[in-house]
Amino acid sequence: MRSSLTARLGLALPIIQGPMTGSDTPTLAAAVSEAGGLGMLGCGMRSPAAMAAVAAEVRERTNKPFGMNLFVQATPRPDEATVTSAMQRLAPFYAEFGLVPERPAQWCEDFAAQFEALVAARPAVASFTFGILTAAQVARLQAVGSVVIGTATTVAEAQAWATVGADAVCASGMEAGGHRGTFLTPTQPAAATGTPPSLADFEASMVGTLTLVTQCVDALSIPVIAAGGIMDGRGIAGALAMGAQGVQMGTAFLTCPESGIGAAYREALTQTQATDTRPTRIFSGRPARGIVNTMMEKLRADEATVPPYPVQNALTGALRRAAAQAGRADHLSLWAGQGVAKVRPMPATALVALLAQEWRVASAPQL
C-alpha cells in the first residue's frame, strides 16, 4: 500500500505530521518519524542557528527521515504610522498583563539566511508555505538530497510549484488549522508572487480539501499530499482514495504530550467543536484558522486593518507569551482545524499506531 512518495522517502506510512511553527518540537518530530510517518519541524520563526540545533536534536533521537518547513517571505518595512496605530490598538490587551506593547527588535527571520541553513541541514523533506521558490532554489535543495514540497491552496498555486520543479505539493484545504498558505491572486494566477494577496484573494482561495485534492491530482503529474480536517484513519483512507499519496495532519498531533503547546491551549482543544473555529487576521496579520476566543471577538471589526504578517505577528508575540504563562486562553492564538473535536490526547507513537490501524481497517475490502 506504499505510494511512490512514501517509497521515495522510505516511510512505512503515508502520514506527515504538520509543521506547526511554535507548537511542534524535535521530540514530536522524532517520535512521528520513528513510528513510521514523517515528523516535521516548523522553522518559519526559528533562527538559522536554532534550525541547525533542532535538526541535530531530531537526528540524535532517530535515524529515520524527517522534514523542515520555512515561510517564504521578505522582511517587511512598515511605515511608523501603521506600527503606532497597531500598538495603540493592542495596548488595552497588553495592559491586562501589566505590560505595554513595544516595537520588536525584528519583524521576522531573514529568509535568505534560513534557506542557507536549510540547505546545510539537508533534511529528507524541505517544505514551504506563504510563497514559492525559484527553480534554482528548488534545484539546490534537490542537489543535497532534499525532496521539495510546496504548499498550495488553489490549483494555480499547485501548478506554479510544479513549474519550478517541486517534487510534490501539499494541497491545503480550508478546513486546515493555522495559517493559510495562499500566495497567488486567484483572479490573476499569472500575477507576480511578490505582491501579497488581498483579503479577497484569501477568501477566494478557501477551497475545501476534497475539491482541492481531486483537482490537484487531475492537474498535476507530481504527488499530491492532502491536508485539512484529516483526523483519523478514515480520513487517511478517503484522501488516498481521492488520489493523494499522503496526508498531512497538524491538529491531530497538537494534544500529544510531545507538542510544545501550554496547558490553556490543550484544554481549549479538548472542549472545542468544528463550529468553534474560524479564520482570523487579528493575531498575525495573515488569515489563520483558530478557536474563537475573547480577543478574536473584541478585534473582529479590525480584521481588515491590522498590519499584514509578519508585522502584526511580531507585535502580538509578547502578549501571547504573557497569556500562555498566565494560562489565559482568551488572549492566545489557538490554531486548530475544523476536525478539532476529534483530537485524541496520547503519545505521538501511540497516535501514529492507532491511525495506521484505523487506515488499514478503512481500506480493507468490504465483503
Side-chain angles (χ1 to χ4, degrees), residues 319-335:
L319 172 61
R320 288 179 282 122
R321 287 190 291 273
Q325 293 171 0
R328 292 274 302 274
D330 57 342
H331 286 58
L332 288 176
S333 49
L334 304 168
W335 304 142

Side-chain angles (χ1 to χ4, degrees), residues 262-355:
Y265 193 168
R266 289 179 188 276
E267 183 177 1
L269 288 166
T270 61
Q271 298 178 0
T272 300
Q273 301 300 312
T275 51
D276 296 330
T277 72
R278 77 159 187 259
T280 181
R281 292 184 70 245
I282 64 96
F283 287 108
S284 73
R286 172 176 275 262
R289 184 176 294 281
I291 301 169
V292 177
N293 62 5
T294 300
M295 189 166 168
M296 282 175 65
E297 291 290 9
K298 286 186 175 180
L299 290 178
R300 190 167 193 168
D302 299 288
E303 287 278 356
T305 56
V306 298
Y309 190 98
V311 175
Q312 180 74 357
N313 192 64
L315 291 174
T316 64
L319 172 61
R320 288 179 282 122
R321 287 190 291 273
Q325 293 171 0
R328 292 274 302 274
D330 57 342
H331 286 58
L332 288 176
S333 49
L334 304 168
W335 304 142
Q338 288 187 327
V340 63
K342 298 184 69 174
V343 292
R344 296 177 285 191
M346 65 179 73
T349 299
L351 179 57
V352 173
L354 179 57
L355 290 169

Side-chain angles (χ1 to χ4, degrees), residues 155-251:
V155 174
E157 290 176 348
Q159 291 172 322
W161 272 108
T163 298
V164 297
D167 297 291
V169 166
C170 179
S172 180
M174 68 177 181
E175 299 93 331
H179 288 99
R180 300 298 295 152
T182 303
F183 63 90
L184 285 182
T185 303
T187 54
Q188 296 178 318
T193 59
T195 302
S198 67
L199 282 181
D201 296 329
F202 279 106
E203 291 173 356
S205 300
M206 294 291 279
V207 182
T209 302
L210 188 155
T211 299
L212 181 62
V213 170
T214 53
Q215 290 183 350
C216 285
V217 168
D218 290 344
L220 304 179
S221 59
I222 59 176
V224 174
I225 298 159
I230 301 169
M231 297 293 291
D232 57 20
R234 290 179 300 172
I236 297 171
L240 300 188
M242 291 188 292
Q245 293 197 21
V247 300
Q248 182 169 286
M249 305 171 69
T251 304

